[in-house]
Amino acid sequence: MLKRAAALALPLLALSVLCSRGLRPASTRAQDDEAQDALRRPERLTVAINDQFLGQLSPDEQTLYFVSNQDTRKEIYAQDDEGRAHRVFDESADVTWPRVSPNGKRLLYISFSDQASGRLCMRSLPEGKDRRCLDEAPAALQAEWIDNERIALVERTSIDGDLRVSEVNTKLKTRMLSEHNWTNPAISPDGRWLVYVPVDRTDSHVGPGFAARTMGRLEAAPLAGGPSIPIEIDLPGMTGQPAFGRDGRDLYFVQFFSDSNHDGQVDASDHGVLFRVPFEGSPDKIAAQPPVQLTDSSWNCQYPAPAAHKLVTTCSRGRDLDVYELPLDGQVPSTWTRERLRLELGLGGRREEVLLLYRQALLRAPDLSTRRLITMRLVMAHLELEEFDAAAFYVEKVGELRQEETRGITGPLRVWVEHRRARGDRERGRMIDSFPDDSRARLEKLLDTEHDSAGARVLN
């Protein structure tokens, strides 16, 4: 027990040597309690005993459309600004993926009434009449409005076939846009860009609709034709579910930081965190822009649907799903200064909220020393939550700062993260036999060199 306590104390001692007192992590007691701070909380819009999800506001922001399974079937509901909800239409079957046209006059959705694999349908609003569907078409998976007259449809041609993206107009005429395995399409308001998540088949004999994995990144393709452009997001984990802001200036997305369900991999089954990044008319400029975190990871929010003045999203804080809203700048007001963030960090709060505040503070860091301090805090905070991939990501960020005070620090920090990851795997029944040998191998890496800083030597 004493050996374990000493082993834990040494890294913390080294970090205390390296870090100034400018930003302190909250106390353990405060982290276990609900935060008594001014952070915004997502506000729940739907109230029912079952799941409500895939919410989207009408262009005038007076009506919320969403999917609910409160009557066993998945059906589309409309809710006014006073919270009164009603079913928009009776399809006598499951429906999903409601999307309101930019002018608010039509609603597209995927219906399973006449085709078990899904058909693209649309109805007029607000009554939900004038039902029209795409006949004799491949299986419809997802769809988004390009403008008031055109739709981008993701469809599956056969059980073992690849995905493709087609353009469908309101007269239900189609033309091919892409024969690639793309999913989660998002269309820029100016109609120039299609942002998507590329999908990789996991079995050559089974179609990507049944056996596939997302590549964990975003790409953009010009709708007028041309090569795709990878979108570089400077964050750990997997990226998915893109959505453009109504004015096209920002791209919202979901980041999956860690293996929150402990199944051995980071994927869309884990907790999602909402981010946004300035788009500025072209995807190749995103890499130069720091992404802004909007929600903390305790909320598990996905499927962002930005409106003109608020952000709608589907969140889970237990077993059920509900539709929530947030300001467009998220839980942390964009007007907060460095001093205000410092005060909020001093108040404590849950570990997930501390991570959110540190990432916001990193955006406002005035110099390299402050960036180093906050990045080290991010390593520690992610380790406390056992988010090892994210901790390893920020260890490398410390190394990229290339300061004399931290020269050589990434080596022992990597070993620390590796050991904590291995210990977690052992506690879950993995790597039991190899743990002692692997631990010895990690210890052998902890050797000082003549170029190491004093902090690196202490941490070794």
Side-chain angles (χ1 to χ4, degrees), residues 397-417:
K397 289 298 178 184
V398 172
E400 290 175 9
L401 294 178
R402 299 187 182 279
Q403 287 189 294
E404 289 296 318
E405 297 89 340
T406 55
R407 190 174 55 202
I409 196 67
T410 54
L413 282 177
R414 287 192 198 104
V415 172
W416 190 15
V417 174

Side-chain angles (χ1 to χ4, degrees), residues 177-197:
L177 287 179
S178 167
E179 293 190 82
H180 297 87
N181 288 318
W182 296 348
T183 188
N184 286 117
I187 312 296
S188 62
D190 61 8
R192 294 178 55 204
W193 294 100
L194 168 64
V195 175
Y196 59 89
V197 179

Side-chain angles (χ1 to χ4, degrees), residues 275-290:
F275 278 82
R276 73 173 182 181
V277 68
F279 190 75
E280 296 188 356
S282 178
D284 54 4
K285 298 179 181 179
I286 288 182
Q289 305 290 339

Side-chain angles (χ1 to χ4, degrees), residues 33-69:
D33 297 332
E34 284 291 323
Q36 302 298 317
D37 53 32
L39 277 178
R40 298 160 171 164
R41 303 292 189 273
E43 180 180 346
R44 189 167 68 173
L45 298 176
T46 55
V47 180
I49 59 174
N50 293 85
D51 293 327
Q52 284 70 230
F53 51 98
L54 293 175
Q56 187 182 46
L57 284 170
S58 59
D60 62 5
E61 301 190 3
Q62 299 302 304
T63 305
L64 172 70
Y65 294 92
F66 60 93
V67 178
S68 174
N69 61 1

Side-chain angles (χ1 to χ4, degrees), residues 18 403-410 412 448-460:
L18 289 167
Q403 287 189 294
E404 289 296 318
E405 297 89 340
T406 55
R407 190 174 55 202
I409 196 67
T410 54
D448 295 339
T449 71
E450 60 180 348
H451 302 294
D452 284 347
S453 63
R457 293 172 185 270
V458 173
L459 188 55
N460 271 332

Side-chain angles (χ1 to χ4, degrees), residues 190-209:
D190 61 8
R192 294 178 55 204
W193 294 100
L194 168 64
V195 175
Y196 59 89
V197 179
V199 174
D200 186 25
R201 296 178 67 133
T202 58
D203 192 314
S204 60
H205 302 292
V206 181

Side-chain angles (χ1 to χ4, degrees), residues 37-42 257 273-275 291-299 326 329-333 336 341 344-345 350-364 374 378 381-382 385 387 394:
D37 53 32
L39 277 178
R40 298 160 171 164
R41 303 292 189 273
F257 277 110
V273 180
L274 300 188
F275 278 82
V292 179
Q293 185 174 344
L294 305 178
T295 60
D296 70 71
S297 59
S298 68
W299 283 90
L326 271 170
D329 55 356
Q331 289 184 244
V332 178
W336 278 12
L341 287 170
E344 294 296 328
L345 280 164
R350 295 192 308 271
R351 292 177 176 87
E352 294 88 351
E353 292 179 339
V354 170
L355 269 171
L356 168 63
L357 291 169
Y358 277 144
R359 250 186 289 273
Q360 290 281 339
L362 191 60
L363 298 176
R364 298 161 174 79
I374 299 172
L378 283 168
H382 279 295
L385 289 170
E387 297 175 350
Y394 285 108

